[in-house]
Amino acid sequence: MAPLAFVSTPFHSPLRLALAAALSLFCVAAEAKSDGWAGCRAADPDKRIEGCGEVIARGDKERKPNRVAAFVNRGGAYHAKGDFDRALADFDKALEIDPDSAVALGDRAAAYRAKGDFDHAIADYDKLVAAQPKAPAYLGRGGAFQGKGDLDKAIADYDKALELDKKSVAALSNRGRAWRAKGDLDRALADFDRAIELEPKSALSYLNRAGLYQAKGDLDQALADYDKAIAKDGKLAIAYNNRGLALHAKGDFDRAVADFGTAVTLDPKYARAILNRANAYRGKHDLEHAKGDLEQALALDPNLAAAKKGLDEVTRQLAARAAAPAQ
């Protein structure tokens, strides 16, 4: 069966509740009312980049806190666009101006983590923990350790985050994922249960618990949680993909095909969902549709080994069928 995709609960930037600092807006001095500042505070990343660029161009005409704010805001906008190198350059500039800026340090750590540079992220989080030993700093560092595969250190940081904030759904969710990666499914389930108790409207919490039930082989419970996740957020492609996998495992190929199809509609570049749909078609002995999906999956991800293998097998099966004498 295709591997199950799990969801990472986004880590929060220090001092602000925002996704990996990418959407955070730094507060600027009240007297800054120019058009440049209006853009620099905008939610739209492109407008923010343009507006902050105007502010940055003023140089020393702006006060030190405002220059830091402009670089942090523009760095957050670049982060939101996935341009981590430019984001890091802006956070570096902010820290050159104010080496003690916890916001810039936390945002730089988040950008390093998003880029996959976990060692630099951990170094920044170490500084942040030393300066401000608060739950978000431990949560972020735990995420970096988890990214490196150092699950014990990740769990230790999530433990510390939960000591400081017992209601941190993010810490519970990510610790649950770490426990699952270590094979301790009971502890993982307890964390996911608590996350849902604290935030019953969270689709991601149900999605994580559904994946845990699926890993335990309890497909009915998994399907019940996938249904809840989808009811709370019908635009999560991964929820349809994973529910499709559970349905496939139960032999319900028609509903699996439908779920994989919805996942692909929501995310047309979701190569693994297309591969999974191909496998469901193969379960239905619909080799023609399976072949088309396998070709499409490979076009999106030429390194998808399972799709290459599947396409070879389906091509041979179709050739054998064509060569077989008519009955």
Side-chain angles (χ1 to χ4, degrees), residues 80-105:
K81 289 171 68 72
D83 191 339
F84 302 122
D85 289 331
R86 286 185 176 177
L88 289 166
D90 273 353
F91 298 140
D92 286 344
K93 286 288 188 183
L95 288 164
E96 285 176 17
I97 298 168
D98 182 4
D100 296 324
S101 172
V103 173
L105 186 63

mmCIF file of all heavy atoms in Angstrom, residues 80-105:
data_model
loop_
_atom_site.group_PDB
_atom_site.id
_atom_site.type_symbol
_atom_site.label_atom_id
_atom_site.label_comp_id
_atom_site.label_asym_id
_atom_site.label_seq_id
_atom_site.Cartn_x
_atom_site.Cartn_y
_atom_site.Cartn_z
ATOM 1 N N ALA A 80 6.799 33.793 3.047
ATOM 2 C CA ALA A 80 5.476 33.367 2.586
ATOM 3 C C ALA A 80 5.500 32.930 1.128
ATOM 4 O O ALA A 80 4.734 32.054 0.719
ATOM 5 C CB ALA A 80 4.467 34.496 2.773
ATOM 6 N N LYS A 81 6.385 33.519 0.337
ATOM 7 C CA LYS A 81 6.489 33.181 -1.083
ATOM 8 C C LYS A 81 7.449 32.012 -1.321
ATOM 9 O O LYS A 81 7.638 31.590 -2.470
ATOM 10 C CB LYS A 81 6.982 34.406 -1.862
ATOM 11 C CG LYS A 81 5.946 35.519 -1.975
ATOM 12 C CD LYS A 81 6.533 36.809 -2.552
ATOM 13 C CE LYS A 81 6.926 36.640 -4.004
ATOM 14 N NZ LYS A 81 5.766 36.562 -4.911
ATOM 15 N N GLY A 82 8.043 31.492 -0.252
ATOM 16 C CA GLY A 82 8.960 30.369 -0.392
ATOM 17 C C GLY A 82 10.362 30.776 -0.819
ATOM 18 O O GLY A 82 11.184 29.920 -1.135
ATOM 19 N N ASP A 83 10.663 32.075 -0.792
ATOM 20 C CA ASP A 83 11.995 32.557 -1.160
ATOM 21 C C ASP A 83 12.814 32.687 0.121
ATOM 22 O O ASP A 83 13.004 33.779 0.662
ATOM 23 C CB ASP A 83 11.880 33.901 -1.886
ATOM 24 C CG ASP A 83 13.184 34.327 -2.539
ATOM 25 O OD1 ASP A 83 14.246 33.830 -2.132
ATOM 26 O OD2 ASP A 83 13.143 35.164 -3.461
ATOM 27 N N PHE A 84 13.312 31.557 0.603
ATOM 28 C CA PHE A 84 13.947 31.530 1.922
ATOM 29 C C PHE A 84 15.284 32.268 1.949
ATOM 30 O O PHE A 84 15.648 32.839 2.974
ATOM 31 C CB PHE A 84 14.114 30.083 2.384
ATOM 32 C CG PHE A 84 12.815 29.328 2.438
ATOM 33 C CD1 PHE A 84 12.638 28.169 1.705
ATOM 34 C CD2 PHE A 84 11.762 29.791 3.203
ATOM 35 C CE1 PHE A 84 11.434 27.486 1.738
ATOM 36 C CE2 PHE A 84 10.554 29.119 3.249
ATOM 37 C CZ PHE A 84 10.394 27.961 2.511
ATOM 38 N N ASP A 85 16.014 32.254 0.853
ATOM 39 C CA ASP A 85 17.306 32.941 0.848
ATOM 40 C C ASP A 85 17.133 34.446 1.037
ATOM 41 O O ASP A 85 17.864 35.080 1.808
ATOM 42 C CB ASP A 85 18.066 32.646 -0.445
ATOM 43 C CG ASP A 85 18.562 31.205 -0.507
ATOM 44 O OD1 ASP A 85 18.815 30.632 0.575
ATOM 45 O OD2 ASP A 85 18.702 30.659 -1.615
ATOM 46 N N ARG A 86 16.173 35.035 0.322
ATOM 47 C CA ARG A 86 15.926 36.463 0.500
ATOM 48 C C ARG A 86 15.361 36.751 1.888
ATOM 49 O O ARG A 86 15.678 37.780 2.489
ATOM 50 C CB ARG A 86 14.978 36.977 -0.580
ATOM 51 C CG ARG A 86 15.634 37.117 -1.949
ATOM 52 C CD ARG A 86 14.680 37.735 -2.952
ATOM 53 N NE ARG A 86 15.334 37.958 -4.224
ATOM 54 C CZ ARG A 86 14.732 38.440 -5.305
ATOM 55 N NH1 ARG A 86 13.448 38.745 -5.264
ATOM 56 N NH2 ARG A 86 15.392 38.621 -6.428
ATOM 57 N N ALA A 87 14.521 35.848 2.377
ATOM 58 C CA ALA A 87 14.000 36.026 3.734
ATOM 59 C C ALA A 87 15.147 36.042 4.739
ATOM 60 O O ALA A 87 15.219 36.922 5.609
ATOM 61 C CB ALA A 87 13.014 34.902 4.061
ATOM 62 N N LEU A 88 16.052 35.099 4.607
ATOM 63 C CA LEU A 88 17.175 35.029 5.540
ATOM 64 C C LEU A 88 18.056 36.270 5.445
ATOM 65 O O LEU A 88 18.543 36.777 6.465
ATOM 66 C CB LEU A 88 18.001 33.768 5.261
ATOM 67 C CG LEU A 88 17.323 32.456 5.666
ATOM 68 C CD1 LEU A 88 18.051 31.265 5.052
ATOM 69 C CD2 LEU A 88 17.285 32.327 7.187
ATOM 70 N N ALA A 89 18.253 36.762 4.224
ATOM 71 C CA ALA A 89 19.066 37.973 4.062
ATOM 72 C C ALA A 89 18.437 39.151 4.802
ATOM 73 O O ALA A 89 19.144 39.947 5.443
ATOM 74 C CB ALA A 89 19.236 38.294 2.584
ATOM 75 N N ASP A 90 17.106 39.260 4.740
ATOM 76 C CA ASP A 90 16.438 40.358 5.437
ATOM 77 C C ASP A 90 16.504 40.188 6.947
ATOM 78 O O ASP A 90 16.704 41.166 7.687
ATOM 79 C CB ASP A 90 14.984 40.465 4.975
ATOM 80 C CG ASP A 90 14.836 41.326 3.725
ATOM 81 O OD1 ASP A 90 15.838 41.936 3.302
ATOM 82 O OD2 ASP A 90 13.720 41.390 3.172
ATOM 83 N N PHE A 91 16.334 38.969 7.425
ATOM 84 C CA PHE A 91 16.434 38.758 8.868
ATOM 85 C C PHE A 91 17.860 39.022 9.357
ATOM 86 O O PHE A 91 18.062 39.543 10.464
ATOM 87 C CB PHE A 91 15.982 37.346 9.231
ATOM 88 C CG PHE A 91 14.535 37.064 8.893
ATOM 89 C CD1 PHE A 91 14.144 35.840 8.373
ATOM 90 C CD2 PHE A 91 13.560 38.027 9.088
ATOM 91 C CE1 PHE A 91 12.829 35.580 8.047
ATOM 92 C CE2 PHE A 91 12.227 37.781 8.780
ATOM 93 C CZ PHE A 91 11.865 36.555 8.248
ATOM 94 N N ASP A 92 18.850 38.678 8.542
ATOM 95 C CA ASP A 92 20.244 39.000 8.881
ATOM 96 C C ASP A 92 20.412 40.511 9.032
ATOM 97 O O ASP A 92 21.070 40.987 9.973
ATOM 98 C CB ASP A 92 21.193 38.491 7.796
ATOM 99 C CG ASP A 92 21.377 36.976 7.820
ATOM 100 O OD1 ASP A 92 21.024 36.344 8.830
ATOM 101 O OD2 ASP A 92 21.886 36.433 6.813
ATOM 102 N N LYS A 93 19.853 41.274 8.087
ATOM 103 C CA LYS A 93 19.954 42.729 8.147
ATOM 104 C C LYS A 93 19.294 43.267 9.416
ATOM 105 O O LYS A 93 19.816 44.171 10.082
ATOM 106 C CB LYS A 93 19.292 43.351 6.911
ATOM 107 C CG LYS A 93 20.094 43.204 5.636
ATOM 108 C CD LYS A 93 21.323 44.106 5.658
ATOM 109 C CE LYS A 93 22.026 44.106 4.313
ATOM 110 N NZ LYS A 93 23.259 44.937 4.347
ATOM 111 N N ALA A 94 18.118 42.717 9.742
ATOM 112 C CA ALA A 94 17.431 43.161 10.949
ATOM 113 C C ALA A 94 18.291 42.912 12.185
ATOM 114 O O ALA A 94 18.376 43.763 13.090
ATOM 115 C CB ALA A 94 16.088 42.438 11.076
ATOM 116 N N LEU A 95 18.969 41.776 12.216
ATOM 117 C CA LEU A 95 19.808 41.438 13.372
ATOM 118 C C LEU A 95 21.111 42.229 13.387
ATOM 119 O O LEU A 95 21.700 42.431 14.447
ATOM 120 C CB LEU A 95 20.078 39.934 13.392
ATOM 121 C CG LEU A 95 18.853 39.100 13.784
ATOM 122 C CD1 LEU A 95 19.051 37.629 13.421
ATOM 123 C CD2 LEU A 95 18.580 39.239 15.288
ATOM 124 N N GLU A 96 21.557 42.673 12.236
ATOM 125 C CA GLU A 96 22.713 43.579 12.214
ATOM 126 C C GLU A 96 22.353 44.909 12.885
ATOM 127 O O GLU A 96 23.148 45.493 13.620
ATOM 128 C CB GLU A 96 23.154 43.847 10.775
ATOM 129 C CG GLU A 96 23.899 42.695 10.116
ATOM 130 C CD GLU A 96 24.228 42.995 8.660
ATOM 131 O OE1 GLU A 96 24.168 44.198 8.282
ATOM 132 O OE2 GLU A 96 24.535 42.056 7.916
ATOM 133 N N ILE A 97 21.128 45.362 12.620
ATOM 134 C CA ILE A 97 20.672 46.626 13.212
ATOM 135 C C ILE A 97 20.403 46.451 14.696
ATOM 136 O O ILE A 97 20.764 47.303 15.516
ATOM 137 C CB ILE A 97 19.405 47.124 12.482
ATOM 138 C CG1 ILE A 97 19.718 47.395 11.008
ATOM 139 C CG2 ILE A 97 18.857 48.382 13.149
ATOM 140 C CD1 ILE A 97 18.476 47.606 10.154
ATOM 141 N N ASP A 98 19.756 45.349 15.056
ATOM 142 C CA ASP A 98 19.417 45.082 16.465
ATOM 143 C C ASP A 98 19.695 43.619 16.786
ATOM 144 O O ASP A 98 18.825 42.761 16.600
ATOM 145 C CB ASP A 98 17.945 45.413 16.728
ATOM 146 C CG ASP A 98 17.554 45.197 18.187
ATOM 147 O OD1 ASP A 98 18.448 44.861 18.996
ATOM 148 O OD2 ASP A 98 16.362 45.343 18.519
ATOM 149 N N PRO A 99 20.909 43.315 17.255
ATOM 150 C CA PRO A 99 21.266 41.919 17.556
ATOM 151 C C PRO A 99 20.401 41.284 18.637
ATOM 152 O O PRO A 99 20.390 40.054 18.773
ATOM 153 C CB PRO A 99 22.729 42.030 18.023
ATOM 154 C CG PRO A 99 23.212 43.328 17.467
ATOM 155 C CD PRO A 99 22.025 44.235 17.472
ATOM 156 N N ASP A 100 19.671 42.104 19.387
ATOM 157 C CA ASP A 100 18.844 41.576 20.477
ATOM 158 C C ASP A 100 17.382 41.374 20.074
ATOM 159 O O ASP A 100 16.544 41.082 20.935
ATOM 160 C CB ASP A 100 18.912 42.517 21.688
ATOM 161 C CG ASP A 100 20.314 42.595 22.273
ATOM 162 O OD1 ASP A 100 21.013 41.564 22.273
ATOM 163 O OD2 ASP A 100 20.699 43.692 22.723
ATOM 164 N N SER A 101 17.069 41.532 18.790
ATOM 165 C CA SER A 101 15.674 41.395 18.364
ATOM 166 C C SER A 101 15.246 39.932 18.399
ATOM 167 O O SER A 101 15.634 39.126 17.543
ATOM 168 C CB SER A 101 15.495 41.955 16.948
ATOM 169 O OG SER A 101 14.194 41.653 16.468
ATOM 170 N N ALA A 102 14.430 39.586 19.383
ATOM 171 C CA ALA A 102 13.952 38.205 19.503
ATOM 172 C C ALA A 102 13.043 37.842 18.332
ATOM 173 O O ALA A 102 13.036 36.696 17.877
ATOM 174 C CB ALA A 102 13.210 38.026 20.823
ATOM 175 N N VAL A 103 12.291 38.823 17.836
ATOM 176 C CA VAL A 103 11.394 38.562 16.716
ATOM 177 C C VAL A 103 12.189 38.189 15.474
ATOM 178 O O VAL A 103 11.900 37.195 14.794
ATOM 179 C CB VAL A 103 10.496 39.783 16.442
ATOM 180 C CG1 VAL A 103 9.689 39.579 15.167
ATOM 181 C CG2 VAL A 103 9.559 40.011 17.614
ATOM 182 N N ALA A 104 13.222 38.984 15.159
ATOM 183 C CA ALA A 104 14.046 38.693 13.978
ATOM 184 C C ALA A 104 14.767 37.361 14.136
ATOM 185 O O ALA A 104 14.872 36.584 13.175
ATOM 186 C CB ALA A 104 15.055 39.821 13.758
ATOM 187 N N LEU A 105 15.236 37.070 15.333
ATOM 188 C CA LEU A 105 15.943 35.813 15.565
ATOM 189 C C LEU A 105 15.008 34.624 15.400
ATOM 190 O O LEU A 105 15.347 33.621 14.759
ATOM 191 C CB LEU A 105 16.551 35.812 16.970
ATOM 192 C CG LEU A 105 17.435 34.626 17.329
ATOM 193 C CD1 LEU A 105 18.662 34.560 16.428
ATOM 194 C CD2 LEU A 105 17.865 34.712 18.798
#
